Amino acid sequence: MLHHVELYVSDLKRSAEFWGWLLEQQLGYERYQQWASGVSWKHGNTYLVFVQAEERFLDVPYHRCRVGLNHLAFHARSREQVESIREELRRRGVPLLYEDRHPHAGGPEHYALFCEDPDRIKVEIVAPE
């Protein structure tokens, strides 16, 4: 069982707005902790932590193809929820990935949407099979 994942972000306010909406309103997480340089959301026994990166570490931006985290994938309740989230992401101006292959960019039996968070971390929302 995964205990928690901690991610450093370039702009905590912007990341908290994106992740707060997605995690709380769409995926059933609850805000868990908040302090001056970070915030976390919890679902069951697992939580996600977002921490403001120090300015001295902001010179090299994140890229999912470098060594490290590639993406975070979350369960959706249904295909309808995937589409509802997709429409809201589009309305919010969030970059959607692989639109030309939606909803099967992950393969013919894999129904999902892919987008980027404010730091361009790839996010996947997967419908049950």
Side-chain angles (χ1 to χ4, degrees), residues 20-64:
W21 168 79
L22 182 62
L23 295 173
E24 287 179 43
Q25 295 181 27
Q26 303 301 315
L27 300 176
Y29 283 69
E30 295 180 2
R31 189 172 293 238
Y32 180 50
Q33 302 161 317
Q34 186 165 359
W35 62 102
S37 61
V39 61
S40 68
W41 285 272
K42 189 172 188 177
H43 191 290
N45 291 324
T46 304
Y47 60 99
L48 298 172
V49 184
F50 301 87
V51 178
Q52 176 63 53
E54 294 178 27
E55 190 164 335
R56 65 189 172 125
F57 296 117
L58 294 175
D59 59 332
V60 178
Y62 166 83
H63 196 288
R64 66 181 168 268

Side-chain angles (χ1 to χ4, degrees), residues 91-110:
R91 190 187 72 70
R92 291 169 175 259
V94 173
L96 297 172
L97 303 173
Y98 321 123
E99 278 289 274
D100 60 324
R101 294 180 281 157
H102 177 77
H104 299 291
E109 303 299 318
H110 190 75

Side-chain angles (χ1 to χ4, degrees), residues 58-103:
L58 294 175
D59 59 332
V60 178
Y62 166 83
H63 196 288
R64 66 181 168 268
C65 291
R66 291 190 181 109
V67 173
L69 179 74
N70 177 266
H71 72 281
L72 295 172
F74 297 90
H75 291 282
R77 289 185 305 276
S78 64
R79 290 179 175 202
E80 293 76 20
Q81 185 186 29
V82 168
E83 294 308 318
S84 173
I85 292 171
R86 180 173 169 245
E87 290 308 312
E88 182 60 19
L89 290 168
R90 184 178 280 134
R91 190 187 72 70
R92 291 169 175 259
V94 173
L96 297 172
L97 303 173
Y98 321 123
E99 278 289 274
D100 60 324
R101 294 180 281 157
H102 177 77

